[in-house]
Amino acid sequence: MKTWMQRSLGVAGLAGGLWLAGSIAAYADDPASHEQDSSTESSVAAPIELGGLSLGVETEDRSSVEQSSSYTDSDGNTTETESVEESSSQSDLGIDVGEISIDPAAMLATESSTSSVEAGDSGSTEGSQLTSGEVEAPVSLGGVTVTGSQQSASTTEESTTTTTDEGSASTSESTSESSATGGALEIGQLDIDPAAALSDDRESETTSTEGGVNDAESSSETSLEASSPITFEGIAATATDERSSEREIGSTVTDSEGTATTSETVSQASSNAVGVEGLDLAVDPMASVWNSTGSAATQARGIEGAESSASESDTAIWAGAPFHLGGITAAGESAQAEERQATSTVSDDEGTVTSTEQSWDATRTSFIGQTGDIAGEPWVWLTDTRSDASASAGDSEGSDSNTAQMVGYAFPFAIGDSGFASEIVDASGTHTADAITDENGTRTNERTTENQSVTRPGFVLDGAAG
């Protein structure tokens, strides 16, 4: 402290001492004292638990239609027709919710005390108060699982036969289709545990003498801490879709010259599947605030009255949120295929000729990708310090004040490796076969061609840190 402030406080102390000595010599009454203490404490809790929940629904539908007809004209020609249609569908949905629990609780406590002493015109008073509180509310949400599927199928068959004096002719056609779709979604459990604590401590003291010396001091310290750790188990999802169809056409003609038969079959199929999982999370945000204050004042009234006062305040704030976020892994496959087959047979008096042609085309695409985990630990802190002092003695006055702030922060992090890979396959082929049977024997001829190409794109990204 500066020299003039030291002198001012010295004058105040000397004057206070002289007046205090005179007061003690003049009065010798018995001192009176009073004390009072009190404390309170209260708490509350309200835990809540809800059991799991499961829901499900399933539907199924079927239908069929059959028709037939026959017609004969005046020439005796007869035409018969038959048709059959069938269809079915089935679906189901299920939801499963895990348990839910909440457990809020709070506590508050207060302690206070006061004491006073009186002796003549002199007296002193002291007081203190301590307050503390805590609150927490942990929450747990059980995971949720949703599943569903749908299946459908249909078939159609038609046939026609015509009979005349010259022979008969028949045709047939059948078509079938089917599809199946399914999926599942699973959301992991979520846990949150918020909590906070408060502490406040205050003290004060005053002293007065009959000589006119008054002293007052007070101080307080307050702190607050809060945190809310969170954990999440991530998600997982799958989806599938499969479809297929087939169409068959056939015809047969018989007359006096022989029999001719043709048939054609076309089939198609596709399937798709994808799955995703990851995004598990753990984060622990927290913060704290601390504040301390103090003040003192002295008054000494005399021929040369003296006054002095001083105060200081310290505040600190810190916050951080370390976290870890899991990466995502995704994989899938898609495939399509088509096949066609045609056959014709002709038989007469000279022999039999058979011809068959088959072709197919298929494509399959698969992939897998993954993103790296992300981890970080951001934090920030702030401090603020303030002080003030003033003094006066007679005609002399002076004051001094200081302020200082500091700020710091950081965000260290790390990102894991990421990558992607896939494969694309295309394949096609044909097969032809011919067979001729006559009085000279049987002659056959076959030819097969196949083609295939494979492509495998992919990349890898190295992780990063900072």
Side-chain angles (χ1 to χ4, degrees):
M1 188 177 293
K2 296 182 179 181
T3 302
W4 61 267
M5 293 184 66
Q6 295 177 349
R7 291 177 179 175
S8 299
L9 292 177
V11 171
L14 177 59
L18 293 176
W19 282 103
L20 181 60
S23 175
I24 294 175
Y27 296 91
D29 296 338
D30 294 334
S33 62
H34 303 277
E35 293 185 1
Q36 182 178 355
D37 297 327
S38 66
S39 64
T40 60
E41 182 174 342
S42 60
S43 62
V44 62
I48 300 173
E49 290 187 4
L50 301 178
L53 176 65
S54 296
L55 301 174
V57 60
E58 182 176 347
T59 60
E60 184 174 350
D61 297 317
R62 294 181 181 275
S63 65
S64 64
V65 178
E66 295 184 9
Q67 293 181 345
S68 63
S69 63
S70 177
Y71 172 74
T72 303
D73 58 17
S74 58
D75 297 330
N77 300 326
T78 302
T79 301
E80 297 180 352
T81 303
E82 295 182 357
S83 65
V84 177
E85 295 182 3
E86 295 182 353
S87 63
S88 65
S89 65
Q90 181 179 357
S91 62
D92 62 81
L93 175 66
I95 301 175
D96 188 4
V97 181
E99 295 183 355
I100 301 174
S101 64
I102 305 174
D103 190 12
M107 185 275 292
L108 177 64
T110 303
E111 295 182 4
S112 62
S113 64
T114 59
S115 64
S116 62
V117 178
E118 296 179 0
D121 293 334
S122 300
S124 64
T125 302
E126 293 183 359
S128 65
Q129 179 176 314
L130 175 61
T131 303
S132 61
E134 294 182 1
V135 61
E136 60 181 11
V139 179
S140 178
L141 303 178
V144 178
T145 301
V146 180
T147 59
S149 65
Q150 183 176 15
Q151 299 176 353
S152 62
S154 64
T155 59
T156 302
E157 296 181 2
E158 295 182 358
S159 64
T160 301
T161 302
T162 301
T163 304
T164 64
D165 295 337
E166 297 179 355
S168 62
S170 62
T171 60
S172 64
E173 181 177 352
S174 66
T175 302
S176 64
E177 295 181 350
S178 65
S179 65
T181 303
L185 173 63
E186 182 176 352
I187 301 176
Q189 181 170 313
L190 175 64
D191 294 317
I192 306 174
D193 190 11
L198 170 67
S199 176
D200 182 72
D201 189 2
R202 299 175 181 271
E203 295 181 355
S204 63
E205 180 180 358
T206 60
T207 302
S208 62
T209 67
E210 65 177 10
V213 178
N214 299 325
D215 288 325
E217 293 184 2
S218 65
S219 64
S220 68
E221 184 172 319
T222 303
S223 63
L224 173 64
E225 294 182 358
S227 64
S228 181
I230 301 172
T231 59
F232 176 55
E233 294 182 353
I235 63 172
T238 59
T240 60
D241 181 78
E242 295 181 357
R243 301 178 183 272
S244 64
S245 64
E246 186 175 76
R247 182 170 179 264
E248 295 182 2
I249 300 175
S251 65
T252 301
V253 177
T254 302
D255 55 20
S256 58
E257 296 181 357
T259 301
T261 302
T262 60
S263 65
E264 183 180 6
T265 301
V266 178
S267 60
Q268 296 177 334
S270 66
S271 64
N272 299 279
V274 64
V276 179
E277 66 176 354
L279 288 181
D280 54 291
L281 173 65
V283 59
D284 189 12
M286 62 189 71
S288 63
V289 180
W290 177 82
N291 177 261
S292 175
T293 62
S295 64
T298 300
Q299 292 181 343
R301 298 298 183 182
I303 299 175
E304 293 290 339
E307 296 182 2
S308 65
S309 64
S311 64
E312 61 179 3
S313 171
D314 289 327
T315 302
I317 301 175
W318 181 89
F323 69 90
H324 179 274
L325 178 62
I328 300 177
T329 300
E333 184 178 82
S334 177
Q336 293 84 32
E338 181 175 330
E339 184 176 357
R340 179 180 178 274
Q341 181 173 336
T343 303
S344 65
T345 302
V346 177
S347 300
D348 54 20
D349 295 337
E350 297 180 356
T352 302
V353 177
T354 301
S355 176
T356 301
E357 182 179 355
Q358 182 181 10
S359 62
W360 68 90
D361 190 0
T363 302
R364 181 178 64 85
T365 303
S366 59
F367 72 91
I368 183 171
Q370 181 176 4
T371 62
D373 295 353
I374 302 175
E377 192 172 351
W379 57 265
V380 60
W381 58 264
L382 168 67
T383 62
D384 181 84
T385 303
R386 300 172 183 269
S387 64
D388 294 288
S390 63
S392 64
D395 295 332
S396 299
E397 293 183 358
S399 63
D400 187 19
S401 63
N402 294 288
T403 302
Q405 289 92 20
M406 296 183 64
V407 178
Y409 62 91
F411 189 1
F413 69 91
I415 302 176
D417 296 343
S418 302
F420 176 84
S422 64
E423 183 179 71
I424 303 172
V425 180
D426 290 320
S428 62
T430 59
H431 176 76
T432 58
D434 298 322
I436 300 176
T437 302
D438 54 20
E439 60 184 7
N440 297 322
T442 301
R443 298 181 299 278
T444 61
N445 182 29
E446 294 186 12
R447 177 183 174 86
T448 301
T449 61
E450 293 183 353
N451 300 297
Q452 179 174 310
S453 64
V454 180
T455 305
R456 297 186 178 92
F459 65 88
V460 174
L461 297 178
D462 295 334

